[in-house]
Amino acid sequence: MFDVDWHTPHLWRKTALKRDAAPRLLGDHETDVLVVGGGFTGMAAALGAKDSGVNVIMLEGNEIGSAASGRNNGLVISHHSKASPSEFESTFGPVIGERYNRMVAGSAGVAFGLMQRFGINAHQVQEGWIQPAHTEKTLKRARQFYEEWKAIGAEVSWLSSSDATAKIGSPYLGGWMVHNSGHINPFAMTIGLANALEQEGVTIFENSRALLIERLDRGWRVHTDQGSVTAPEVVLATNALTGDIWPDLKRTLIPFKVFQAATEPLCDELREKILVGDPAVSDMRNDLRYFHYDCDNRLVSGATHTLWFDEAERGRAKVAQVLEKAFPAFGGPPKVVEYWHGTFAVVPDRRPRLYRLGPGLVFGGVYSGRGVALSMSLGQEMGRWAAGRRSDDEMPLPVTAMQKIRMHAVAVQVANRMHPWHRLQDRRS
Ligand SMILES: Cc1cc2nc3c(=O)[nH]c(=O)nc-3n(C[C@H](O)[C@H](O)[C@H](O)COP(=O)(O)OP(=O)(O)OC[C@H]3O[C@@H](n4cnc5c(N)ncnc54)[C@H](O)[C@@H]3O)c2cc1C
């Protein structure tokens, strides 16, 4: 159910520059740091290690950007998934909590900074992200987010009901805005980062799935079907599609499948009434409404299905219905023409993970749907850590042993079928 048909063209691939795939891994290689997984986390980890002055090899099982990093909605957001800064501090304690909050507050800036550093064209727009509220209860929660981030020094502002409604083109009671955030074509970003890594001297192998990790006296040997890489330090950045590469690792996260859809390009008249100033938006519903424009004025949104039959047809219809309800300017259902799906990793407490699996073997990531910006900050920290520039105590998250999810198979099914319940909650709140 969760594997993506990554060859199928989707909107982000269609509008991104092409890149020739890196070679497959053949024969036996050695390096200082091996990164497994070529999404944002893996690529940022490879960059963090390379910037620290060590040799780096990265293995990607399919194509760079073939999983969540190349298929997501493209919202680049400096905010937690559902939680407030104080809630992270109470989970992680004041020292790590504060460090983590600061990293999250700066994460969109780091992502846009990488585009600038490497001259990446990912159709990036850094005009802020708005989280509007549709009920009094969610308005109170939005206010809490705003106040807490403001106290930390994040560049945020409060929007009144009339400001939020005018800017978004949809009726809301108010909301808050994070100014360093925005939106990108995420697949174009994966292409740009892969090119940048090669330019910096990272060796990338694509279509090279790591199948087995062998422990050596010093370090590890990671095997693919046609070769191996030996390294003292190995970073696993395999996210939702983590298979059997390490015992029980896949039981520490829940793959969660969602779809994305986009309208045909909107005319200037609609463009002037919907998302004025080109912000990115995702609201506070449990069945989240989220939108931004792509480079050709298509409105990009998404949702999930409880059952996946006729997924594309039903997905386009559902998004057309949501957009019609959200934006009075449409005056009817807009034409939704693009559809694709993807899978990200969630955990019940929505706290990202850093696991030490053995000496010199780590796993990190799991962003519960809020990973575009964060993966680029956390990934670089993981790379510095693997290169010996950070100790466990200096990391922005607690370094732990694996945290397995109880009754994992059941939890996966429940998480992926909760959608009707979320909608019911939205109606009640
Ligand atoms: C449809 C969708 C919409 C989303 N929208 C947003 C959004 O708007 N904003 C936001 O912040 N977040 C969003 N997310 C979440 C975000 O995309 C992810 O959190 C982030 O991309 C995770 O990056 P990653 O590198 O950790 O994982 P991935 O991008 O999943 O990369 C992991 C990589 O590891 C590779 N791999 C796995 N096993 C092996 C192996 N054994 N050997 C070699 N390679 C392996 C996979 O092929 C994959 O390329 C969305 C996700 C999806 C799916």
Side-chain angles (χ1 to χ4, degrees):
M1 171 180 173
F2 300 109
D3 268 340
V4 284
D5 173 14
W6 57 272
H7 298 279
T8 312
H10 54 77
L11 174 65
W12 300 134
R13 282 176 81 119
K14 287 187 217 167
T15 54
L17 291 173
K18 308 281 171 275
R19 174 178 175 275
D20 291 333
R24 260 171 210 274
L25 180 79
L26 297 175
D28 301 322
H29 298 249
E30 275 184 39
T31 189
D32 299 320
V33 172
L34 170 65
V35 176
V36 179
F40 288 146
T41 306
M43 286 197 279
L47 180 64
K50 190 72 201 169
D51 280 345
S52 305
V54 301
N55 293 317
V56 184
I57 291 180
M58 191 176 82
L59 296 180
E60 165 52 45
N62 299 322
E63 170 195 62
I64 295 288
S66 56
S69 297
R71 306 173 70 87
N72 60 67
N73 187 263
L75 300 165
V76 186
I77 303 172
S78 290
H79 175 48
H80 303 305
S81 172
K82 306 250 179 195
S84 78
S86 64
E87 287 154 7
F88 269 91
E89 279 197 24
S90 60
T91 315
F92 293 156
V95 175
I96 296 183
E98 203 227 326
R99 201 182 290 154
Y100 180 69
N101 285 332
R102 286 200 182 283
M103 180 175 73
V104 172
S107 60
V110 167
F112 286 107
L114 286 175
M115 296 172 221
Q116 200 169 20
R117 171 177 168 192
F118 295 114
I120 295 172
N121 178 3
H123 308 151
Q124 59 267 44
V125 175
Q126 197 176 9
E127 292 293 341
W129 167 74
I130 301 173
Q131 189 173 41
H134 61 294
T135 60
E136 289 298 337
K137 192 173 159 196
T138 55
L139 189 67
K140 216 166 137 195
R141 182 75 166 147
R143 187 83 203 180
Q144 181 195 353
F145 292 154
Y146 161 71
E147 302 281 2
E148 289 194 18
W149 282 119
K150 191 165 175 249
I152 287 172
E155 227 193 296
V156 292
S157 55
W158 183 250
L159 300 179
S160 66
S161 172
S162 56
D163 287 348
T165 301
K167 212 164 165 46
I168 299 170
S170 182
Y172 280 105
L173 300 184
W176 66 296
M177 182 164 184
V178 188
H179 293 275
N180 71 355
S181 300
H183 56 89
I184 56 171
N185 171 333
F187 190 74
M189 182 62 184
T190 65
I191 299 272
L193 273 178
N195 289 339
L197 287 180
E198 286 180 328
Q199 184 187 307
E200 296 297 298
V202 171
T203 306
I204 301 178
F205 295 102
E206 284 178 82
N207 297 298
S208 304
R209 190 166 187 82
L211 299 172
L212 179 78
I213 304 179
E214 180 193 356
R215 186 165 183 168
L216 307 176
D217 286 343
R218 271 196 69 250
W220 306 88
R221 183 172 296 133
V222 176
H223 298 263
T224 66
D225 60 349
Q226 290 179 302
S228 72
V229 183
T230 303
E233 301 289 331
V234 177
V235 175
L236 300 183
T238 48
N239 193 41
L241 304 181
T242 297
D244 294 319
I245 187 167
W246 188 256
D248 285 335
L249 184 55
K250 69 180 177 194
R251 282 184 230 293
T252 69
L253 52 87
I254 294 173
F256 186 74
K257 186 171 172 180
V258 293
F259 68 82
Q260 305 295 285
T263 64
E264 59 184 5
L266 300 191
C267 64
D268 289 350
E269 199 192 326
L270 285 170
R271 190 75 173 70
E272 279 162 22
K273 292 180 182 153
I274 296 174
L275 306 186
V276 179
D278 214 352
V281 173
S282 40
D283 75 11
M284 300 203 51
R285 289 176 165 84
N286 291 299
D287 184 17
L288 205 67
R289 290 183 179 176
Y290 49 100
F291 337 91
H292 67 86
Y293 285 111
D294 83 337
C295 61
D296 296 319
N297 295 337
R298 296 177 186 90
L299 201 53
V300 190
S301 186
T304 190
H305 289 305
T306 312
L307 300 170
W308 289 81
F309 65 92
D310 296 337
E311 57 170 288
E313 197 184 320
R314 290 171 54 241
R316 284 190 290 259
K318 175 167 181 182
V319 165
Q321 199 184 29
V322 169
L323 294 179
E324 180 189 6
K325 270 195 210 150
F327 299 106
F330 277 126
K335 253 196 185 159
V336 175
V337 291
E338 304 286 343
Y339 175 92
W340 68 100
H341 68 236
T343 301
F344 58 80
V346 294
V347 280
D349 66 7
R350 292 180 168 260
R351 275 32 172 183
R353 302 294 198 244
L354 277 184
Y355 296 143
R356 184 169 288 291
L357 305 175
L361 178 64
V362 295
F363 168 90
V366 185
Y367 310 101
S368 300
R370 200 43 76 72
V372 170
L374 186 53
S375 56
M376 295 189 221
S377 292
L378 184 64
Q380 286 188 80
E381 284 295 304
M382 285 162 60
R384 293 172 194 129
W385 184 37
R389 296 294 160 103
R390 295 271 186 282
S391 66
D392 286 11
D393 292 343
E394 290 169 322
M395 291 303 284
L397 282 174
V399 180
T400 68
M402 284 193 292
Q403 298 170 41
K404 276 189 269 175
I405 293 169
R406 281 199 292 157
M407 299 175 66
H408 181 258
V410 177
V412 172
Q413 289 307 318
V414 171
N416 280 277
R417 312 269 180 247
M418 290 269 286
H419 187 51
W421 170 244
H422 283 153
R423 274 196 287 182
L424 195 67
Q425 276 182 316
D426 286 334
R427 269 188 228 129
R428 284 184 181 158
S429 67

